[in-house]
Amino acid sequence: MSAPGVYIWRGRIYVGVRAVAQAAGVTEHTVSYHLNRHGNLDRLGVASGGNNGACGKPVELFGRCWRSRTALADYVGRSDSRVSRWIRVGRSDLLLAALMRADARQAVAA
């Protein structure tokens, strides 16, 4: 087994990938990925701008608003990828049907 490397992350020195992962609150795999992909840890812990910056943005649909697509997906009981696909391809009929079923479940629960 090789000796652990010395890494600098956010101005602090860490010995080994495990120490960096614990400090950053991520897995060792994530730290290794950043080292392999970027050659440094500059991007570790920085929020990505994936989905053209749509991550965490409010979603307005049929006169209602959710804090994010993930929150909408949780409400309608579908996966985030499925809801995102429906939005992307313009399947408002499927979104409306899922929303109506979720509203009915909420009414029964109350």
Side-chain angles (χ1 to χ4, degrees):
M1 183 180 238
S2 62
V6 176
Y7 305 100
I8 298 175
W9 181 65
R10 293 191 176 172
R12 297 196 61 196
I13 298 173
Y14 297 91
V15 178
V17 171
R18 180 175 291 160
V20 177
Q22 288 174 342
V26 297
T27 65
E28 293 175 41
H29 173 78
T30 301
V31 174
S32 295
Y33 166 81
H34 279 270
L35 290 170
N36 290 331
R37 174 79 176 182
H38 307 292
N40 56 49
L41 298 172
D42 294 346
R43 296 180 185 196
L44 183 66
V46 175
S48 71
N51 299 328
N52 293 325
C55 296
K57 287 188 177 176
V59 174
E60 291 186 32
L61 188 64
F62 306 113
R64 296 167 65 182
C65 188
W66 288 265
R67 60 182 162 74
S68 65
R69 276 190 308 217
T70 302
L72 171 60
D74 289 342
Y75 183 77
V76 298
R78 295 296 191 146
S79 68
D80 181 48
S81 61
R82 170 123 356 182
V83 170
S84 295
R85 187 177 319 116
W86 287 347
I87 291 171
R88 185 177 62 249
V89 298
R91 290 301 307 264
S92 60
D93 58 327
L94 296 174
L95 286 164
L96 182 59
L99 184 58
M100 291 171 68
R101 282 190 299 273
D103 289 341
R105 280 192 303 269
Q106 291 290 324
V108 169

